[in-house]
Every structure is written in structure tokens, then in C-alpha cells.
Amino acid sequence: MKKLILLVMIALVASFATADLTTDLDVYFSFDDADNTGSNPDDLTGNGYDGTTSGATVGVPGILAQAYSYDGNNDKVTHSSSALGNTYTISLWVNIDATPTAGYNWMIAGNTGGTDRGKGAIAYYSTAGIFLNTFWQTGDNSASWLYTSGPFARSTWHHFVGVFDGTTRNMYINGVLEETTAVGTNAWLTSRVIGERGGGVSFLKGIIDELGYWDIALTAPQVALLYNGGAG
């Protein structure tokens, strides 16, 4: 909780034009030992979307205090969220332990099966090179991917933020806008999973810290504040 308060304080003093970062914050996990119930992460917003841990290692060094580590085999954290509307933001810090040799290593996704797996998701991709992708649309998954170039250094913290403002989706890496594209109809899955794709496939090998979902599209200055509140 102390880190969330710190980020809010940074936002309040930085600029009158930068909104409070707790506005429309739907879910926030610090993954700190002090903010967990046993091995399960508590949602610091008070909205009650606490996580349930399956296999992930708690208490490892994070970007701020502690984080959760995922072994790439079967570790995950599941939780719920609100049905986010036509604008939203996903933010998280990731320390990647292994570069995927094929397919995806999923950081966060919708926790369901079938063609809806991965809606509102961020993944590390490497079939024709290594990319980060986010996708948000209903229908054909492949039609709604947004890629940025890689690769990303291993054993190094990276800040990934996906933003949808109602017409355009933006991908920020380490506080910098890396890719943007227009997109149509969007959907959000309220059943969420951290560290895999959903349906028990494509697990992440790495560490995740400071994960938040907002029901608004954060601005570029707000994304920069989130980045600088970590290690930027």
C-alpha cells in the first residue's frame, strides 16, 4: 500500500493536468509480503478482487519491495475484475527469465478457453522474431494483435503498459510509446489470470510486480509517472 500511496503523491505534485492515479483504478496488486494474505495477493483498491495463487513463488525481490516469480511450467495467479468499458489501461513490471523459443510467454490474460483466451492481454511472443503483443478485440485473435519489436533483455525489469482510449490502442515500454494502432470493437474478460494464457497453456518464466488495471485510458504523462515511480 505504501508504494501505491507514493505513486499517487508523485502524480499529485507533478502537474495539475495529471489526474490522481487512483481515479478509476479497478485492481492493483503490489505483490508485497505486507499486502498479501498468506501467498495470495490482496487487491489494494478495496474492490475485493483479491488473487488466488497456484504455484507462484512469493517474496522474491521486486522492482519495489517483493514480487511473485513464475516457473514457466504451471505457476499462475487468478483473480476477477470489473467489466471494464470502452477505455482501459493495463500496467505491470516484468523481469523475464527466459526468452520464448516458440509461441508466447503470457504475462496476463483473460482466464477462459476457446477463442476468447487472451483478451485484454500482454504476452512475450517469438515465432517470427521476438515481440510484445497486446490484443483486445472480440472475434479473431490474430486480427487484433499489436506488436512491438524485441528482444527484451533477460534478468532486467521492464515496464509494460497497454492503453485503449476507445479508438486507438497504445503500447508503452519503459515509459515510452512504442506502438499505436486504431482498433474497433473491444471486450474485456472479468476472469483474469497472471502468468499464463488461460486454459493451462503458454506460461511465463519470470517475475511480475506492481500490476494494475484502470477503467480509463491513462495519458502519456501518467504512464511516465508510473514508470518513474518504479525504477525509471
Side-chain angles (χ1 to χ4, degrees), residues 4 12 31 37 45 47 104 124 137 146 154 169 171 195 212:
L4 184 58
L12 289 174
F31 300 111
T37 300
T45 68
N47 291 332
Y104 302 86
Y124 194 21
Q137 281 187 311
L146 173 63
R154 293 171 57 180
R169 54 200 166 149
M171 194 70 222

Side-chain angles (χ1 to χ4, degrees), residues 2 10 25 31 52 68 75 91 142 173 182 194 227 230 232:
K2 62 184 181 296
I10 293 171
L25 182 59
F31 300 111
T52 299
Y68 279 28
D75 292 355
S91 170
S142 62
I173 301 176
I194 305 167
Y227 173 64

Side-chain angles (χ1 to χ4, degrees), residues 83-173:
L84 302 188
N86 289 327
T87 60
Y88 41 83
T89 300
I90 304 170
S91 170
L92 75 165
W93 285 88
V94 183
N95 189 319
I96 300 164
D97 284 350
T99 300
T101 56
Y104 302 86
N105 280 5
W106 291 77
M107 302 171 190
I108 50 174
N111 186 27
T112 185
T115 58
D116 281 337
R117 285 185 297 183
K119 296 301 191 301
I122 297 178
Y124 194 21
Y125 177 68
S126 68
T127 295
I130 301 172
F131 303 90
L132 185 78
N133 86 44
T134 67
F135 50 87
W136 324 76
Q137 281 187 311
T138 58
D140 178 16
N141 286 344
S142 62
S144 53
W145 296 350
L146 173 63
Y147 294 99
T148 66
S149 60
F152 303 107
R154 293 171 57 180
S155 302
T156 299
W157 286 102
H158 303 277
H159 187 223
F160 300 129
V161 180
V163 179
F164 179 65
D165 64 8
T167 58
T168 303
R169 54 200 166 149
N170 301 306
M171 194 70 222
Y172 294 84
I173 301 176

Side-chain angles (χ1 to χ4, degrees), residues 5-230:
I5 294 172
L6 174 61
L7 292 176
V8 172
M9 290 176 64
I10 293 171
L12 289 174
V13 301
S15 169
F16 70 89
T18 302
D20 183 346
L21 287 174
T22 62
T23 300
D24 292 305
L25 182 59
D26 187 63
V27 180
Y28 196 91
F29 297 125
S30 75
F31 300 111
D32 288 357
D33 291 346
D35 295 329
N36 299 338
T37 300
S39 63
N40 296 322
D42 291 341
D43 172 20
L44 301 186
T45 68
N47 291 332
Y49 297 123
D50 301 335
T52 299
T53 301
S54 176
T57 301
V58 305
V60 303
I63 190 70
L64 294 171
Q66 291 84 41
Y68 279 28
S69 178
Y70 302 80
D71 66 3
N73 294 318
N74 55 13
D75 292 355
K76 63 182 178 180
V77 173
T78 56
H79 69 95
S80 298
S81 75
S82 298
L84 302 188
N86 289 327
T87 60
Y88 41 83
T89 300
I90 304 170
S91 170
L92 75 165
W93 285 88
V94 183
N95 189 319
I96 300 164
D97 284 350
T99 300
T101 56
Y104 302 86
N105 280 5
W106 291 77
M107 302 171 190
I108 50 174
N111 186 27
T112 185
T115 58
D116 281 337
R117 285 185 297 183
K119 296 301 191 301
I122 297 178
Y124 194 21
Y125 177 68
S126 68
T127 295
I130 301 172
F131 303 90
L132 185 78
N133 86 44
T134 67
F135 50 87
W136 324 76
Q137 281 187 311
T138 58
D140 178 16
N141 286 344
S142 62
S144 53
W145 296 350
L146 173 63
Y147 294 99
T148 66
S149 60
F152 303 107
R154 293 171 57 180
S155 302
T156 299
W157 286 102
H158 303 277
H159 187 223
F160 300 129
V161 180
V163 179
F164 179 65
D165 64 8
T167 58
T168 303
R169 54 200 166 149
N170 301 306
M171 194 70 222
Y172 294 84
I173 301 176
N174 296 333
V176 177
L177 179 62
E178 292 289 342
E179 190 65 56
T180 185
T181 186
V183 67
T185 303
N186 281 254
W188 181 268
L189 296 176
T190 59
S191 179
R192 313 293 303 165
V193 63
I194 305 167
E196 67 143 291
R197 179 180 177 177
V201 296
S202 301
F203 291 89
L204 173 75
K205 183 172 176 58
I207 306 170
I208 293 177
D209 200 5
E210 305 299 326
L211 169 63
Y213 302 129
W214 284 257
D215 197 18
I216 56 173
L218 294 183
T219 64
Q222 289 173 315
V223 172
L225 286 172
L226 284 174
Y227 173 64
N228 291 320

